[in-house]
Amino acid sequence: MQTLKIVVTGPFASGKTEFIQSVSEIDVVSTDRRISSQAERIKDATTVAMDFGRITIDEELILYLFGTPGQRRFNFMWEILSEGMLGFVVLVDSTRPETFREAQRILETFRNYSPVPYIVAANKQDLGDAWPADDLKIVLKVESGIKVVPCVAQNRESVKQVLLELLYSILEVMDQQEE
Amino acid sequence: MALKGNLKDFGITQLLNLINLARKTGTLYLEGPEGTAFLCFKEGKLVYATSGSEDVNLPTVLQRAGKLTAEQARVVQANMAGRSDRDMAMMLIQAGHIQQQDVVQSVRQYVLGLVYRIFSWNEGTFRFEPAQLPIQGKMVTSIALENVIMEGSRRLKEWERLQDELPSLDVSLKFAEKPTTPLRDINLTVEEWRVISFVNPRNTIQQIAQYNSMTEFQIRKIVYGLLQAGIVEIIKPARPAATEAPGRSQRVEDQVRVSTKARRPDVKRGLIHRLIDRIREL
Ligand SMILES: Nc1nc2c(ncn2[C@@H]2O[C@H](COP(=O)(O)OP(=O)(O)OP(=O)(O)O)[C@@H](O)[C@H]2O)c(=O)[nH]1
Ligand SMILES: [Mg+2]
C-alpha cells in the first residue's frame, strides 16, 4: 500500500477545511475548535492542528489531503506537514484583500520547504466581490508558469478541477525533468 | 466586477501595479484620510485624476502651474462658467494666452502631484470600476504607470517602502552579474560589508540577519540599498549544501537541517495518471 500527500494551505478562513471536505471520502478529521477570541471571530470554528482527508485511488494507492491550520501560532505544523508532499495548493479568499499579503508569505514559505509543483486557487468565486483569478496572479506575484485557477470550495467539481490542474502541473514538471 | 478593499491591506503601489500589469481601463475611487479622489486609467495608463474635496477645473490648474495669473483665471472662470475644460483650453489657446504645450504640461503636473499625494494614503477604502471613465470634456493626459510607481514609492515612508520592495526575507542574494559600479569603487558602511560577506545563494536574507544579529528593519534597509545600487540581486535560495557557511550560528544550523528533509517523494508518472483518472471520476 502506497500513500501520497497533497497539502492544502492558505490564510485563516480561506476555505481549506471546506475544500478538503468537498472531495474527501471520509469526514474530514478536523481538529477544529470553536473560536473564542473576538479578533478572529469571523466564523465559528477554526482548524487548530490540521485537516485530514482521504481519497482511495485503488487497492494499492491512497491520496491524503492535509490542510494546514490557519492561525499563525500553529505555524510550526507547516514544515512537518510539508514533509514528502507531492505538491501543494494555496487557497486564497478572493474577497479579502487584507489576506493577500499573508497568502503571498505562505506561498513563499512552502515553496522554500520543498521544490514541488504547486497551484493557487482563487477561492470563493461565487461571491460578488471576489477578485478575479487573473488579478490575483499579479497581486500575489505568482511566478509565470504557475497556475492561478478560480475555485468554489463547497463545490466538488470545482475542487476536483483544482486538484487535476495541480496533477497536470506535476506531470509537466516530470516531462521537463526527463528532457 | 469591481475590485474593492482597504488601503491598509492593499496599498496604492500594489493597486497601480495591478492596473498597469493587467492594462486595465476604468476608474479608481479612493476615500482616504484627506478626502476622496478618483483616478482614471485607459489600458493601464493614467489619463486623469482629480480630488473630490476641491473642484479643480482647468483655469485653476493653469494658475497653479503659473501659466495664468490669478486675475486671468478669475476672468476665464467667470466668462466660461459651465463650459468644459476642453472648451476653455481651446479659447485660451486661440486667444493666444497660452500654448497648447502649457496646457498639456500643466494637466500632467496636476495629475502627478495629486497621485503622489495619494501615495501616502495608507488607510481608507478603494473601489475600481472597470469601464467607467468620467472624463467627458476633461483635458486628459497619458502617463505610464511604471514611472509613477517608481517615483511614488521613493516618496513613501521608508518602512512601508522597504516592506513592499522586499516582501519576503526567505530569498537569497547573489552578486549582480554586471554591476554598474565595481565593488571596490563603492563606499560601504561596516554594516553593509557585514551583509556583503554573507552574500551567497545558500544564505537567505533571514539567515544573514541572524548571522549578524540584525533586526528585520536593519537588514531590509541595507539589502534594499544594495539592490538599488545594483550590487546584488535576489534569487530563490539554493538547496543548502553540506559545506559550512562561515559563522553560522547554532540556530541557523538547526533551520538548515530541518529544511533539507523536505524532499520531493520519488513517484512515477504512472502513479500520477492513476490519481488523475480517479479524481476525474469522483
Ligand atoms: N461563499 C463561499 N464560502 C466559502 C467558500 N469556501 C469556504 N467558505 C466559507 O468560508 C469560511 C471559512 O472556511 P473554512 O473551510 O473553515 O476555512 P479554513 O481555511 O479551513 O479556516 P481555518 O482552518 O480557520 O484557517 C466558512 O464559513 C466556509 O463556509 C467558497 O468557495 N464560497
Ligand atoms: Mg480549517
Side-chain angles (χ1 to χ4, degrees):
Chain A
M1 175 65 70
Q2 188 174 1
T3 61
L4 295 173
K5 168 162 97 181
I6 289 177
V7 170
V8 180
T9 186
F12 173 69
S14 56
K16 302 175 289 290
T17 302
E18 197 84 58
F19 182 97
I20 295 174
Q21 187 68 69
S22 290
V23 283
S24 175
E25 63 202 18
I26 52 172
D27 253 354
V28 167
V29 184
S30 210
T31 38
D32 279 9
R33 286 290 131 75
R34 291 190 69 78
I35 294 175
S36 43
S37 97
Q38 271 306 324
E40 282 154 344
R41 205 169 177 97
I42 60 169
K43 55 175 195 154
D44 292 333
T46 186
T47 305
V48 293
M50 59 180 190
D51 298 311
F52 179 69
R54 188 182 76 194
I55 301 173
T56 305
I57 307 300
D58 49 38
E59 301 86 70
E60 294 133 46
L61 190 58
I62 293 179
L63 174 67
Y64 287 114
L65 297 175
F66 283 86
T68 60
Q71 291 169 286
R72 269 166 187 262
R73 65 189 138 134
F74 301 108
N75 285 7
F76 65 91
M77 288 291 299
W78 289 5
E79 186 146 16
I80 301 169
L81 288 175
S82 68
E83 163 91 63
M85 63 186 169
L86 200 59
F88 63 96
V89 178
V90 182
L91 266 192
V92 185
D93 182 339
S94 316
T95 66
R96 292 180 61 215
E98 64 269 32
T99 66
F100 293 168
R101 200 184 279 272
E102 171 76 358
Q104 203 184 338
R105 195 179 70 89
I106 294 173
L107 192 159
E108 294 272 319
T109 307
F110 271 84
R111 218 184 48 175
N112 287 335
Y113 288 149
S114 178
V116 295
Y118 62 96
I119 189 167
V120 178
N123 195 29
K124 309 198 186 180
Q125 287 294 323
D126 56 318
L127 298 178
D129 32 358
W131 291 41
D134 287 347
D135 287 343
L136 286 186
K137 176 153 185 145
I138 295 173
V139 162
L140 300 175
K141 302 199 170 80
V142 178
E143 292 171 277
S144 61
I146 299 295
K147 294 172 207 158
V148 181
V149 294
C151 176
V152 179
Q154 290 118 328
N155 179 326
R156 170 183 275 221
E157 284 308 313
S158 171
V159 173
K160 275 168 63 179
Q161 209 47 50
V162 174
L163 290 175
L164 286 170
E165 290 294 346
L166 173 62
L167 291 166
Y168 298 148
S169 296
I170 292 174
L171 282 181
E172 279 163 28
V173 169
M174 286 178 163
D175 286 345
Q176 284 161 13
Q177 283 169 351
E178 272 162 27
E179 273 160 21
Chain B
M1 208 181 315
L3 304 174
K4 290 187 291 189
N6 199 304
L7 290 173
K8 205 185 277 170
D9 314 312
F10 200 81
I12 298 288
T13 318
Q14 280 172 293
L15 275 170
L16 296 186
N17 240 324
L18 173 62
I19 290 165
N20 180 38
L21 293 174
R23 301 264 170 263
K24 286 187 182 291
T25 296
T27 298
L28 180 63
Y29 295 91
L30 299 160
E31 276 187 53
E34 296 169 35
T36 62
F38 66 86
L39 318 180
C40 302
F41 302 89
K42 229 177 190 169
E43 286 168 8
K45 293 225 170 20
L46 178 61
V47 292
Y48 184 72
T50 192
S51 75
S53 47
E54 40 173 25
D55 186 20
V56 187
N57 62 5
L58 190 66
T60 317
V61 169
L62 292 171
Q63 185 200 333
R64 285 192 196 169
K67 305 292 180 195
L68 291 182
T69 64
E71 178 59 15
Q72 282 175 313
R74 201 189 53 75
V75 171
V76 179
Q77 303 269 27
N79 290 337
M80 299 197 71
R83 306 290 291 277
S84 74
D85 282 356
R86 207 169 286 174
D87 289 347
M88 293 196 226
M90 286 296 227
M91 189 281 284
L92 286 167
I93 293 166
Q94 270 164 12
H97 291 300
I98 50 171
Q99 303 203 319
Q100 188 179 350
Q101 196 53 32
D102 295 333
V103 177
V104 172
Q105 254 174 22
S106 307
V107 168
R108 191 182 162 91
Q109 206 178 318
Y110 168 74
V111 168
L112 281 175
L114 179 63
V115 174
Y116 291 143
R117 263 213 324 281
I118 289 171
F119 262 87
S120 67
W121 292 10
N122 45 21
E123 51 191 82
T125 57
F126 67 83
R127 180 168 50 93
F128 183 83
E129 294 286 353
Q132 277 190 20
L133 273 185
I135 51 174
Q136 209 71 45
K138 297 292 181 191
M139 292 301 300
V140 295
T141 167
S142 180
I143 302 170
L145 285 178
E146 285 90 347
N147 294 328
V148 175
I149 293 168
M150 293 266 286
E151 179 60 22
S153 304
R154 236 172 262 145
R155 298 177 184 210
L156 258 187
K157 279 198 254 80
E158 192 164 48
W159 174 239
E160 289 167 338
R161 183 185 65 207
L162 296 174
Q163 280 276 17
D164 273 11
E165 296 286 334
L166 212 65
S168 165
L169 296 183
D170 286 327
V171 292
S172 302
L173 299 173
K174 70 176 178 79
F175 287 107
E177 230 105 82
K178 294 191 190 99
T180 35
T181 324
L183 204 49
R184 60 170 190 283
D185 294 342
I186 299 171
N187 290 321
L188 293 171
T189 64
V190 176
E191 241 50 53
E192 284 161 346
W193 272 117
R194 283 170 57 196
V195 171
I196 287 274
S197 64
F198 283 100
V199 167
N200 181 319
R202 275 180 296 137
N203 298 336
T204 64
I205 298 176
Q206 188 77 60
Q207 287 169 333
I208 298 178
Q210 282 175 5
Y211 298 147
N212 288 309
S213 312
M214 287 177 175
T215 65
E216 215 188 314
F217 180 62
Q218 286 173 311
I219 191 80
R220 278 180 193 278
K221 202 172 151 168
I222 292 173
V223 170
Y224 179 68
L226 296 174
L227 286 169
Q228 293 298 302
I231 299 170
V232 298
E233 289 168 358
I234 287 185
I235 52 164
K236 276 192 262 169
R239 304 270 78 214
T243 50
E244 287 286 304
R248 178 190 284 165
S249 74
Q250 191 56 46
R251 227 158 87 231
V252 173
E253 212 159 44
D254 281 344
Q255 257 190 345
V256 170
R257 188 175 48 72
V258 172
S259 62
T260 44
K261 69 175 192 191
R263 280 184 317 272
R264 178 209 299 268
D266 187 22
V267 293
K268 302 253 146 45
R269 295 180 58 94
L271 279 187
I272 305 296
H273 280 295
R274 272 152 77 193
L275 292 185
I276 288 174
D277 291 343
R278 177 74 181 93
I279 289 175
R280 276 197 187 129
E281 70 191 25
L282 273 182

